[in-house]
Structures are given as structure tokens and as C-alpha cells.
Amino acid sequence: MIPGIGLNEVLIVSTLLFFIGVYGFITRTNLISMLISVELCLNAAVLNFVFINKYLYPDKPEGVMYALFIIAVAAAETALVVAIIVNLYKKINSVEVHDMDTLKY
Amino acid sequence: MEAVLFYIISAIILGTGMAAVASRHMMRSVIFLLFALLALAGLYFLVDFNFLGAVQLTVYAGGIVVLIIFSVLLIHHIESKLSEASKSRKWMSALLSLGGAIAFIYVIIQNVFPAYAESTTTTTKTVGEKLLDYGEGGFILPFEVISILLLASMIGAIVIAKGEPKQTIKANEE
Amino acid sequence: MNLNYIYLIPAIPLLVFFVLGIFFQKIKPAISGWIGVAGMAVSALISYIAAYHYFFVYGKKDGIYQTFISNNRWINFTDTLHINMGVYVDTISIMMLVVVTTISLMVLIYSRGYMKGDTGYTKFFAFLSLFSFSMLGLVLATNLFQIYIFWELVGVSSFLLIGYYYTKPSAIAAAKKAFIVTRFADFGFLIGILITGYYSGTFNFTELNDPQGFAISNWAASSFLGLSTLAWGLILIFIGGAGKSAMFPLHIWLPDAMEGPTPVSALIHAATMVVAGVFLVARLFPMFFFIEHGFVLNIVAYVGAFSALFAAIIAITQTDIKRVLAFSTMSQIGYMMLALGVSGYYGENGLGYMASMFHLFTHAMFKGLLFLGAGSVIHAVHSNYLKDMGGLRKHMPITHITFLAATLAIAGVPPFAGFWSKDEILVAAYEHNPFIYVIGVLVAGLTAVYMFRLYFGIFWGKEGTYAQAPKESPLSMTIPLMILALFSLTAGFIPFSQYISADKAGFIAHFHWDKALIAVGVALVGIFMAWVIYKKENGKSDKLANAFGVFYKWAYHKFYMDELYLFITRSIIFKGIAAPIAFVDKKVVDATMEGIGNKTVWLSKKIKHLQSGRIQDYAYAFVVGVVILSMIFIYLNKS
């Protein structure tokens, strides 16, 4: 625990980070930028896990473990996303979101 | 002293996060993400989660960001400015995010969390023991599942990124 | 009296129609001709038997001819409103049965020769049989609805037969005109039926005509604009009858109906269909006489008199022989209406009624003969126009003699049939309305003039130039001519008044020497005038035409009635009524409907962008939903 900082401030930070990620996800037009925004969201979640563990349940290891797993899964997912982006780029030669609307009306 | 440090690091996180999201250069956006992740790792070190901070640095900053840079370099026209969404869209999204954030923060502020004076920290040793502990409260199962997941994603990534076999080779052979 | 065999009389022609209609491609034309003739012959025989039974054996009881009814409920709307079908046997229906079947039979025999070689031969006989069925059903109707149904059937048959040469545009136009004009009149007829039925509580003829019945005794119960409502109903019914009988101003279809084949003109437009209006008035005669003290009968008389005069004037100027005969028909029917209009009810006062029916009977004979003779002439000369004819008496002797007999009959020369019936009409007119009597005498003179103009124009005078020498028609055509000529000679001697009278009691009609002499004198004067002007081709006819100047031109163009109707239809109905309604329909109603459709499409075009296919937009909507919902729940749960 950090002396002088309550849990509320930390949670505020993580919330703000999460919503910055959400803003990026629904605003950006490039797939890779969307990926970056998703990473920010995930990191905000990890922050949440870690600090609640630290402040409210300091003797349990669960928070850190879950954080580790989240990081591992995020890595796997990023790898797959990059593979998809590369394949898609080979097909339609673009990574802009508005070029990928085949499932439209 | 730690409080000030916390504020500085949080400021860096939020600042670089916003820059990553708003920047119009691909490479700058990725580097800003890198800084955000580094600051986050710093935050973990601040609360004595050394192992987690190390993992964050290694996997996220060292692995994921590098992966993203690879993909950025594979896409052409990297130097050109990225196109933006329409102004209305940006304003609406900003409003939405701000609204959501305010709602959540409002709830958070209202809540009063009990404070622990004494703190014990989770050491690397505990993490290692718990990871391979197949007794009560052990994490052996998620550990194995994660390894399979990583295997699967590796295979999947290879298959997807390989694409379709080229037709011209066959034609040349005949 | 056992009435069941009377159902056969209309049923046999209907059967012939179905047989010929269904098998028309398999039957050889000659066979179909014989089938039609045979069917009608059987019908005619049965009607003669029925007439014998009715008039001489069963009919009279206590000096009054009974009415025999066979009624079957056909459609039930409510307890009080139902349509019956059946046969109604009384004096005039039996008489009409005899007339219709006889003339039908003559025309069918004639058509075997006239229509020979025509491609639609079987169709012609089928339609003629359909018409006979409709007319016989009309005559035997027991109530207003049944007579209306058969009325319309007769109209349809007439339409089919006028438009028989369906490749000729003028024939099609004439068929349409006949149907539309009579349909328009039938609209009045229908409203009249409904009014009459509503205010008298029944549609059956027995109850309507009963002088002690509800209808006639309570006619003054309800009134509208000064006239009893039942009188309005009768006026509307008379409008329907006037349309079918070509009374002024609904006569415009009759000259054009001559586009049909001549046997059709003989049957329908001379002897049977056009007298349906007269028959209708005769059928409802007690109502016409008693309600509003015979006010409507006055209208009938004046309409009839005016039509007779109007048609006679036009007939003098026409050059197409069938049109002359058409206007002559209109004029004679005017006589029949006139006679009904001036009739009384009891005993000898009912002379007009009797004379009208008598004239109907004799007119059918000689007008049918005139048309068939004209057909024979047209068949030989291949032209309808007087200027192409002349001097035919040497080439077609039988046609000549029979045509002369008919012309003498229509002119009212004794001892031919027309004299007797026309004389009775004039006597009845004199006793009730001298003004109409004068018009009747004038029309008698004009009749003689134009009929003999026609006769001299065809059979005397300079020979027309003929491509090939006209020869007499074959036996199938001349036998009916001879039979009808015989009837024209002898029918006048039937003591009609003993059988047919307004109160069904029969009376002895007296012979009035003075009126007879006046009538014959006027006829002879007319014949003499025609002899002088028309027998030899000199310039007298043209000089007379010029002397009359603009009146001649008006009469030649039938007093521009067709142009007037066309003007009213185009300017008033089409432009004034139909066009605004069409405008509202197109611009308001259709626009609304299409507007609703278009707005839906526009809305869907706007909405479809929600499904953009981009996952980012879906995430956007997702975030919107989450934020809003979370805000709502936070607001609801804050405590």
C-alpha cells in the first residue's frame, strides 16, 4: 500500500485509463490503433486487480496471479490479432476500418 | 514522498495514454504506448509487486509492443499521417467516455474503503509456489491452461499469417 | 291449372343455348341451324297449347280471367325481403308468349338462309336462343326482381347480337351505346323497384296490382315533393321502360342498333325487346291507373305521343332503309305507350289498354315482316341505302308482295291488321284526350308517307345499277315472309277485346265508323302524297327538301340528339365530374399511399446505415448503451 494514497484515487486513475482506451477504440480508424487502445483497456483492468488486492486483501496472492494470467492472455491475443491484420492486409491492402464493411446492409 | 511519486507516475500514464490514442503518427502512437506500459510497471514496483512489474516490462513492453512494431513495419505507408474519424464522431466519443468516466468515478467516490495499516506483500517466492501448487488455492490448472492457450495461439498465428499457398509454383512445375 | 309445362317454354331455348355454346366447335353449322329452329318450334307449339288452354278451357272463372302463379323462393335476404322465381300466367303473358315464340321461330327459320356461310353461324343461333330465353323469362316474371333480372339478360343478349359483327368498329360502338343507354335507364328502373318495394312492402305483381291490396289503397300515405312516393317509384320504373322501348330522350341507341344483322333487328328491335317497356307498363297497369289518380299515366301518354311524332318526322328524311324502319318502330311504340296512357280501367274504358296490346301483337307481325323483307332486299343488293335500290319488283316478286302487305298494314289500310289496332288506339285517344288524338292522326298520316316512300324507293322507280342482277331469296327466307304476311292480313280479325282487357273481364269492342273513316282517309292521303313524290324519280322530293330548308336538315340529322348527348357526356360528365374525381384519386389518394411507401423507404435508407458492417460502429453503439444504462442504474440506486 502506498502511504497517503487511498484506494479511491487509484481506482479513479484506472477508470480514466480505461475510458481513454474506450475512446481510442471507438474513434480510431486504423486497426493497429484500435489494438493499442485495447491494450490500454486491459492494462487498466490489471491495475484494478493489483491495487484492490494490495489494499483490501494484502495477504492473498490471487490478485497478482490473475494479473499474470491477464498479461499472458493479452500477449497471445495480440499475437493473433497481428496475424489477422497481416493476412487482411495481404487480401485487401488496407488496414482502415471503413474498408472492412462487407457484412453490411 | 510515495504519494508524490504516485501522482507523477499516474500523470505519465494518463498523459501518454491520451497521446497514444490521439496521435496521428503510427510510430509515435506505439512509442507512447510503450511509455504508458513502462510507467505502469513503475507503479507496480511502487507497491512492491516486483515480479509483476518485471513480467509487465518483459511481456508487455518487450513482447507485445515489439510485436505491434513488427506489424506496423509490415504495413506500408507508415510515414503518412493516419486518417481521422469525423469531428462529430470524435466529439460524441469524447462525450461518451467522459460521461462514463464521471458516472464510474461518482460511484467510486461515494464508497469508503476500509484501510489496512499493516501490509504484507506478495513475494516472488509466493508467486512461484502458488503457481505450481496443486493443493487448496493452487494455480496449477490455470498455469497449464495458459500454456495450452499460448501453444494454440502460436499455431493459430502461424496458420493465419501464412495465408493461402501460392498458385504460381504449381503452374511452374507443370 | 297445371302450370308446370309452362316452365318448358323458356327452358328449351336455354338448353339450345347451352348445347350450341358448349359444342359450337363440334357441331356443323347446318345442324346448329336445325337445332335452333327445332327448339323454338317446340317452344312455340307449347305456347300455342298453353294459349288454347288458358283462353278457351281453364282461364275464365266468373267472367274474369284468372291469374295462375307458380312461385319458388330463390334468394332469402330476410323474412320480408326475398327474391322469388316463377311463372305468372295471365292474359298478357300468354299473349306475349305466343308473339315472342312465333316471331322467334320465323326469324330463326329466316336466319338459316340469311346467315348462311357466315363464320359465326352457330354462335348466332346460340345468342338468338339466349335472347328468346331471356324474353320469355321476362314475360313470365312474377315479381319486380325477376323481371329486372331478365330485363338485364335481354340487354346482354341484345349487346351480344348487335355487336355480332365484332370486327366492325361501328358495330361495337353501337352495341356499347345500346347497352350503356339501356343500363342508364335501368338504373332508374332499379331505384323505382326499390322505392316501390319499400313503400308497398312487397315485390310481387299480384299484391302490387290488387286494387284492394295494400299498395294501391295506401298510395297517399307517404309523399315527396307533392307526389306520392309510389308515384315517384312508378315514374322511375317508367324511365326504365322508356329506355328499353326507345322513347324520347332515351331513343338514341335504336338507330345505331341497326348495325346488327337484319334478323336480329327483326326479332329484337322490332317485335320483342323494344316492346318490353310497353309490357312493363301494361303489367303494372293497375298501379299506374290508381296511384295519384293516373298522374303517371299522363306522363306515359305524352312521352309516347311525342316520341311517335318525333320519330315519324325523322323517318321521312332517312336514306338507310333499316334506319327508316328503326324510327318507324319507335313511332309505333310511341303509339302503344300513348294508348296505355289514355286508357281507363273498367270495362270499355279499358279500350286503350286493349288497343295497346292489340297493336303490340299486330305490330310484331308486320314490323317483323318489314325487317325480314328489308333483309331480303339487302341480301340481294348488298347495300343498305335507298339510292342503290329501285325497280326491284321485277326481280324479287315474293319479297315485293309481302313487303307491300306489311306496308299497307302499317299504314292502316283495311283489311290489314294494322288498321284494326291503330283504329282502336285512335278511338281510345279521342275519348280521353283530344289533343293526343290529333297527334295520333297526324302521325298516322306521316307513317303512310314515309312507309310508302320506302316502298316506292325500293321496288319502283329507276332501276339501280346492280353489279349482278338481284334474284329472289331462297325458300328458307321467303317462307317466313309469306307466313308473316298471312298473319298481317288476318290478325286484325281476332276479337282481341274479349280476351285481353285491363280488368281482365273482357268486353265487346264497338266499331266506330267515323274515327275509322278519318284514319283511313289520312292514310290514303299519305299514300297518295308518297305516290306523287316518290313513285317516279323526278325532282319533286329534292324540291320539297329544299323548301323545308333548315327543318329538313335538322330532321335528317335526327335533331342532333346524338351530338347533344355527346356534348353533355364530354363537357359535363367527363370534364366536370369525372376529371376532378380522377384528380382526387390520383393526386390525393394515390399520393398518400405512395407517400407512405416512399417515407418508409426513405426512413429505411436512413436507418440502414446502422448496420454498417464495421465493428467499430457496433462497439460505439455498445459503449453508448453501457454508459447510458450504467448512468440510469446509478441514478436509480443511489441511496
Side-chain angles (χ1 to χ4, degrees), chain C residues 582-607:
Chain C
F583 174 80
V584 166
D585 183 48
K586 259 199 294 232
K587 293 282 179 331
V588 174
V589 174
D590 274 357
T592 312
M593 289 296 128
E594 277 176 34
I596 293 178
N598 286 342
K599 277 283 170 285
T600 311
V601 170
W602 170 83
L603 189 64
S604 89
K605 278 204 186 121
K606 293 272 177 238
I607 293 183

Short mmCIF file of all heavy atoms in Angstrom, two decimals, chain C residues 582-607:
data_model
loop_
_atom_site.label_atom_id
_atom_site.label_comp_id
_atom_site.label_asym_id
_atom_site.label_seq_id
_atom_site.Cartn_x
_atom_site.Cartn_y
_atom_site.Cartn_z
N ALA C 582 -61.06 12.00 -60.76
CA ALA C 582 -59.82 11.32 -61.11
C ALA C 582 -58.63 12.06 -60.52
O ALA C 582 -57.67 11.45 -60.06
CB ALA C 582 -59.68 11.25 -62.63
N PHE C 583 -58.72 13.40 -60.51
CA PHE C 583 -57.64 14.18 -59.92
C PHE C 583 -57.48 13.83 -58.45
O PHE C 583 -56.37 13.59 -57.97
CB PHE C 583 -57.95 15.66 -60.09
CG PHE C 583 -56.97 16.55 -59.40
CD1 PHE C 583 -55.76 16.83 -59.98
CD2 PHE C 583 -57.25 17.09 -58.15
CE1 PHE C 583 -54.84 17.65 -59.34
CE2 PHE C 583 -56.34 17.90 -57.51
CZ PHE C 583 -55.13 18.19 -58.10
N VAL C 584 -58.61 13.81 -57.74
CA VAL C 584 -58.52 13.48 -56.31
C VAL C 584 -57.96 12.07 -56.13
O VAL C 584 -57.10 11.83 -55.29
CB VAL C 584 -59.92 13.57 -55.65
CG1 VAL C 584 -59.92 12.91 -54.29
CG2 VAL C 584 -60.31 15.02 -55.52
N ASP C 585 -58.41 11.18 -56.99
CA ASP C 585 -57.94 9.81 -56.85
C ASP C 585 -56.44 9.72 -57.07
O ASP C 585 -55.71 9.07 -56.33
CB ASP C 585 -58.68 8.92 -57.85
CG ASP C 585 -58.29 7.48 -57.70
OD1 ASP C 585 -58.28 6.99 -56.57
OD2 ASP C 585 -57.99 6.84 -58.72
N LYS C 586 -55.98 10.40 -58.13
CA LYS C 586 -54.55 10.27 -58.44
C LYS C 586 -53.69 11.05 -57.48
O LYS C 586 -52.71 10.59 -56.96
CB LYS C 586 -54.28 10.76 -59.87
CG LYS C 586 -54.15 9.63 -60.87
CD LYS C 586 -53.45 10.09 -62.10
CE LYS C 586 -54.27 11.09 -62.85
NZ LYS C 586 -54.46 10.78 -64.24
N LYS C 587 -54.08 12.34 -57.27
CA LYS C 587 -53.16 13.20 -56.55
C LYS C 587 -53.32 13.11 -55.05
O LYS C 587 -52.43 13.43 -54.29
CB LYS C 587 -53.37 14.67 -56.98
CG LYS C 587 -52.99 14.91 -58.41
CD LYS C 587 -51.49 15.02 -58.54
CE LYS C 587 -50.98 15.25 -59.93
NZ LYS C 587 -51.70 14.77 -61.02
N VAL C 588 -54.50 12.74 -54.60
CA VAL C 588 -54.68 12.74 -53.15
C VAL C 588 -54.57 11.32 -52.60
O VAL C 588 -53.73 11.03 -51.78
CB VAL C 588 -56.06 13.34 -52.78
CG1 VAL C 588 -56.31 13.21 -51.30
CG2 VAL C 588 -56.08 14.80 -53.18
N VAL C 589 -55.42 10.46 -53.12
CA VAL C 589 -55.44 9.10 -52.55
C VAL C 589 -54.16 8.36 -52.88
O VAL C 589 -53.48 7.84 -52.02
CB VAL C 589 -56.67 8.35 -53.07
CG1 VAL C 589 -56.64 6.92 -52.61
CG2 VAL C 589 -57.93 9.03 -52.59
N ASP C 590 -53.83 8.35 -54.19
CA ASP C 590 -52.62 7.62 -54.59
C ASP C 590 -51.39 8.25 -54.00
O ASP C 590 -50.44 7.56 -53.60
CB ASP C 590 -52.50 7.62 -56.12
CG ASP C 590 -53.29 6.48 -56.72
OD1 ASP C 590 -53.86 5.71 -55.94
OD2 ASP C 590 -53.34 6.39 -57.95
N ALA C 591 -51.40 9.61 -53.95
CA ALA C 591 -50.21 10.28 -53.42
C ALA C 591 -50.01 9.91 -51.95
O ALA C 591 -48.89 9.71 -51.51
CB ALA C 591 -50.36 11.79 -53.56
N THR C 592 -51.12 9.82 -51.23
CA THR C 592 -50.98 9.45 -49.82
C THR C 592 -50.40 8.05 -49.68
O THR C 592 -49.44 7.84 -48.93
CB THR C 592 -52.36 9.47 -49.14
OG1 THR C 592 -53.01 10.67 -49.46
CG2 THR C 592 -52.20 9.33 -47.66
N MET C 593 -50.95 7.14 -50.45
CA MET C 593 -50.46 5.77 -50.34
C MET C 593 -49.00 5.67 -50.74
O MET C 593 -48.19 5.06 -50.06
CB MET C 593 -51.31 4.85 -51.22
CG MET C 593 -52.69 4.63 -50.70
SD MET C 593 -52.64 3.79 -49.14
CE MET C 593 -53.64 4.88 -48.19
N GLU C 594 -48.71 6.32 -51.88
CA GLU C 594 -47.33 6.26 -52.32
C GLU C 594 -46.42 7.02 -51.36
O GLU C 594 -45.28 6.65 -51.13
CB GLU C 594 -47.19 6.87 -53.71
CG GLU C 594 -47.53 5.90 -54.79
CD GLU C 594 -47.47 6.55 -56.14
OE1 GLU C 594 -46.61 7.44 -56.31
OE2 GLU C 594 -48.28 6.18 -56.98
N GLY C 595 -46.98 8.09 -50.79
CA GLY C 595 -46.19 8.86 -49.84
C GLY C 595 -45.81 8.02 -48.63
O GLY C 595 -44.67 8.05 -48.17
N ILE C 596 -46.77 7.23 -48.16
CA ILE C 596 -46.46 6.37 -47.03
C ILE C 596 -45.36 5.38 -47.41
O ILE C 596 -44.39 5.17 -46.67
CB ILE C 596 -47.72 5.60 -46.58
CG1 ILE C 596 -48.72 6.57 -46.00
CG2 ILE C 596 -47.36 4.56 -45.56
CD1 ILE C 596 -50.00 5.92 -45.57
N GLY C 597 -45.49 4.83 -48.61
CA GLY C 597 -44.46 3.89 -49.05
C GLY C 597 -43.10 4.56 -49.19
O GLY C 597 -42.08 4.05 -48.74
N ASN C 598 -43.12 5.76 -49.81
CA ASN C 598 -41.85 6.44 -50.03
C ASN C 598 -41.20 6.84 -48.71
O ASN C 598 -39.98 6.75 -48.55
CB ASN C 598 -42.07 7.70 -50.88
CG ASN C 598 -42.33 7.34 -52.31
OD1 ASN C 598 -42.03 6.23 -52.73
ND2 ASN C 598 -42.89 8.25 -53.06
N LYS C 599 -42.03 7.30 -47.77
CA LYS C 599 -41.45 7.70 -46.48
C LYS C 599 -40.82 6.48 -45.79
O LYS C 599 -39.77 6.58 -45.15
CB LYS C 599 -42.54 8.29 -45.58
CG LYS C 599 -42.82 9.74 -45.85
CD LYS C 599 -41.73 10.63 -45.24
CE LYS C 599 -41.87 12.05 -45.71
NZ LYS C 599 -41.42 12.21 -47.09
N THR C 600 -41.50 5.34 -45.94
CA THR C 600 -40.93 4.15 -45.32
C THR C 600 -39.57 3.81 -45.93
O THR C 600 -38.62 3.50 -45.22
CB THR C 600 -41.89 2.96 -45.51
OG1 THR C 600 -43.19 3.35 -45.14
CG2 THR C 600 -41.45 1.78 -44.68
N VAL C 601 -39.52 3.91 -47.26
CA VAL C 601 -38.25 3.61 -47.92
C VAL C 601 -37.17 4.61 -47.48
O VAL C 601 -36.04 4.25 -47.17
CB VAL C 601 -38.43 3.64 -49.44
CG1 VAL C 601 -37.08 3.58 -50.13
CG2 VAL C 601 -39.29 2.50 -49.89
N TRP C 602 -37.55 5.91 -47.42
CA TRP C 602 -36.59 6.95 -47.01
C TRP C 602 -36.08 6.67 -45.60
O TRP C 602 -34.90 6.75 -45.32
CB TRP C 602 -37.29 8.30 -47.09
CG TRP C 602 -36.56 9.43 -46.51
CD1 TRP C 602 -35.59 10.17 -47.09
CD2 TRP C 602 -36.74 9.97 -45.21
NE1 TRP C 602 -35.16 11.15 -46.25
CE2 TRP C 602 -35.84 11.04 -45.08
CE3 TRP C 602 -37.56 9.65 -44.13
CZ2 TRP C 602 -35.76 11.80 -43.92
CZ3 TRP C 602 -37.47 10.41 -42.98
CH2 TRP C 602 -36.59 11.46 -42.88
N LEU C 603 -37.03 6.32 -44.73
CA LEU C 603 -36.64 6.04 -43.34
C LEU C 603 -35.70 4.85 -43.28
O LEU C 603 -34.69 4.86 -42.57
CB LEU C 603 -37.90 5.77 -42.51
CG LEU C 603 -37.66 5.68 -41.01
CD1 LEU C 603 -37.19 7.00 -40.50
CD2 LEU C 603 -38.93 5.27 -40.31
N SER C 604 -36.02 3.84 -44.06
CA SER C 604 -35.18 2.64 -44.01
C SER C 604 -33.80 2.94 -44.57
O SER C 604 -32.79 2.43 -44.10
CB SER C 604 -35.84 1.50 -44.77
OG SER C 604 -35.46 1.53 -46.10
N LYS C 605 -33.75 3.84 -45.59
CA LYS C 605 -32.43 4.21 -46.12
C LYS C 605 -31.59 4.90 -45.06
O LYS C 605 -30.38 4.76 -45.01
CB LYS C 605 -32.59 5.14 -47.32
CG LYS C 605 -32.86 4.42 -48.59
CD LYS C 605 -32.44 5.23 -49.79
CE LYS C 605 -32.88 4.51 -51.04
NZ LYS C 605 -33.76 5.23 -51.88
N LYS C 606 -32.29 5.70 -44.23
CA LYS C 606 -31.52 6.38 -43.19
C LYS C 606 -31.07 5.38 -42.12
O LYS C 606 -29.99 5.47 -41.57
CB LYS C 606 -32.39 7.45 -42.52
CG LYS C 606 -32.73 8.58 -43.43
CD LYS C 606 -31.67 9.66 -43.38
CE LYS C 606 -32.01 10.76 -44.35
NZ LYS C 606 -30.98 10.97 -45.31
N ILE C 607 -31.96 4.44 -41.82
CA ILE C 607 -31.65 3.57 -40.69
C ILE C 607 -30.62 2.52 -41.07
O ILE C 607 -29.88 2.04 -40.22
CB ILE C 607 -32.95 2.89 -40.20
CG1 ILE C 607 -33.87 3.93 -39.59
CG2 ILE C 607 -32.65 1.86 -39.17
CD1 ILE C 607 -35.12 3.33 -39.04
#
